[in-house]
């Protein structure tokens, strides 16, 4: 709690009390949204007290404040993954800090493998639900009652209202947007063929190594969440190919403008 307070206090001072309404987490290869931002302030994670520091090369590690679609936002360019060796508490630390800064809703993106045979690379999948296959979660341990309840309800972790708004926007702008269930695995290795088959069998439409810890922390805090996967590789049973990081980044780059448009339009429509 003290660490959250200190990080938030530092950020408030450095940003002249900038008041973001919405928090955005950008996934692997999806950092270009910041080019659409009227940037007011930018802080390196490494300068913020108690902030974990990003280790993955494709993540640049900045907290950026500014306007997107005319609304004040804070953007995490680069996130923390459990596979990097961080604790779950560290993985969700920035989410809790953003909420302390006054963020009212959370928008999350990620790169994911497509398990639904109808998906194509660079499709967007709006997440309607998830399956947590990470070995732990950020709420394990003594409950921080100041943050949220001991047993948060998870019947609608992704705002159904925002899902509908996203589908309306997609129709309006001719975007290829699907919906589906995201399974979160620890990684960092990709899945075996048998594991992809298992994931599909248990009801997942896409698989990735992030998002769910942050969403759990956000639900605990009472923040409505919108999350979207960019399908970077296809791994439906019977159609599994070798996954190369470069291909993932290429597919993410191709889908990035669509994702940015979707999030920007969605943010414009929030109260
Ligand atoms: N599996 C897990 N994580 C991923 C994948 C995948 O196929 N693609 C992108 N992130």
């Amino acid at each position: 709690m003290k660490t959250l307070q200190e990080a938030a206090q530092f950020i408030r001072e450095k940003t002249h009390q900038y008041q973001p309404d919405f928090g955005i987490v950008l996934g692997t290869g999806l950092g270009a949204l910041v080019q659409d931002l009227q940037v007011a302030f930018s802080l390196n994670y490494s300068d913020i007290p108690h902030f974990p520091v990003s280790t993955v090369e494709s993540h640049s590690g900045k907290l950026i404040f500014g306007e997107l679609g005319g609304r004040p936002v804070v953007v995490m360019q680069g996130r923390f993954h459990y596979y990097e060796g961080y604790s779950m508490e560290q993985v969700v630390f920035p989410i809790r800090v953003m909420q302390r800064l006054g963020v009212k809703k959370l928008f999350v993106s990620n790169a994911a493998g497509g398990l639904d045979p109808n998906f194509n690379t660079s499709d967007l999948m709006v997440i309607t639900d998830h399956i947590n296959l990470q070995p732990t979660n950020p709420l394990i341990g003594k409950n921080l009652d100041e943050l949220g309840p001991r047993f948060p309800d998870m019947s609608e972790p992704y705002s159904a209202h925002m899902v509908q708004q996203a589908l309306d926007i997609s129709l309006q702008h001719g975007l290829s947007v699907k919906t589906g269930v995201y399974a979160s695995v620890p990684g960092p290795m990709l899945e075996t063929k048998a594991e992809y088959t298992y994931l599909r069998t248990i009801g997942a439409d896409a698989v990735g190594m992030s998002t769910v810890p942050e969403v759990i922390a956000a639900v605990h805090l009472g923040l409505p969440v919108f999350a979207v996967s960019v399908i970077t590789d296809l791994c439906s049973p019977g159609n599994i190919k070798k996954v190369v990081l470069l291909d993932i980044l290429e597919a993410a780059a191709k889908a990035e403008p669509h994702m940015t448009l979707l999030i920007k339009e969605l943010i414009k429509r929030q109260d």
Side-chain angles (χ1 to χ4, degrees):
M1 287 307 297
K2 191 155 166 287
T3 53
L4 286 173
Q5 222 167 344
E6 285 171 3
Q9 183 60 26
F10 174 89
I11 294 166
R12 275 194 216 100
E13 278 166 21
K14 292 290 174 194
T15 61
H16 304 164
Q17 321 287 330
Y18 194 88
Q19 178 53 68
D21 284 344
F22 308 111
I24 303 175
V25 183
L26 297 178
T28 306
L30 300 169
L33 177 139
V34 296
Q35 287 161 15
D36 276 40
L37 208 65
Q38 268 23 85
V39 178
F41 299 96
S42 176
L43 304 177
N44 291 325
Y45 291 163
S46 54
D47 294 332
I48 305 171
H50 313 296
F51 237 67
V53 175
S54 189
T55 62
V56 180
E57 261 176 60
S58 44
H59 291 65
S60 64
K62 281 195 186 95
L63 203 57
I64 305 173
F65 294 79
E67 282 191 12
L68 184 71
R71 309 295 297 273
V73 300
V74 51
V75 179
M76 280 182 72
Q77 193 179 37
R79 63 144 61 84
F80 304 100
H81 301 86
Y82 187 70
Y83 65 73
E84 293 175 87
Y86 300 111
S87 68
M88 281 295 178
E89 200 182 340
Q90 288 177 304
V91 169
V92 304
F93 185 81
I95 307 298
R96 290 173 168 166
V97 169
M98 290 197 285
Q99 189 259 354
R100 282 208 155 226
L101 294 174
V103 156
K104 305 278 184 301
K105 291 181 186 175
L106 185 69
F107 298 78
V108 186
S109 66
N110 62 50
L115 295 159
D116 181 329
N118 297 314
F119 287 177
N120 296 307
T121 44
S122 301
D123 273 353
L124 300 181
M125 184 191 90
V126 170
I127 302 178
T128 54
D129 208 345
H130 72 226
I131 300 173
N132 186 22
L133 298 172
Q134 303 258 354
T136 181
N137 73 70
L139 306 185
I140 294 285
K142 188 175 181 309
N143 186 53
L144 300 168
D145 295 329
E146 314 89 290
L147 299 186
R150 172 75 288 188
F151 300 109
D153 175 71
M154 292 296 279
S155 58
E156 193 189 309
Y158 303 88
S159 156
H161 182 58
M162 285 198 278
V163 168
Q164 192 50 54
Q165 286 181 315
L167 294 178
D168 293 346
I169 291 164
S170 309
L171 211 59
Q172 241 176 37
H173 292 265
L175 302 176
S176 172
V177 171
K178 315 257 169 58
T179 54
V181 174
Y182 175 87
S184 183
V185 294
M189 63 288 171
L190 291 132
E191 290 68 36
T192 63
K193 287 187 180 120
E195 286 165 343
Y196 281 128
T197 303
Y198 160 76
L199 291 165
R200 184 67 185 146
T201 305
I202 64 169
D205 299 302
V207 54
M209 305 174 192
S210 68
T211 301
V212 167
E214 291 112 310
V215 171
I216 291 173
V219 170
H220 185 234
L221 292 162
L223 293 178
V225 176
F226 175 80
V228 59
S229 290
V230 170
I231 303 301
T232 52
D233 52 285
L234 301 178
C235 43
S236 59
N239 182 29
I240 292 161
K241 302 193 185 74
K242 258 196 172 26
V243 183
V244 183
L245 179 65
L246 217 59
D247 295 345
I248 289 183
L249 295 179
E250 205 175 288
K254 197 170 148 218
E256 210 280 338
H258 299 154
M259 189 208 75
T260 298
L261 178 69
L262 182 63
I263 292 186
K264 188 160 123 184
E265 289 300 317
L266 193 56
I267 279 183
K268 275 190 201 165
R269 293 184 189 206
Q270 300 315 301
D271 310 326

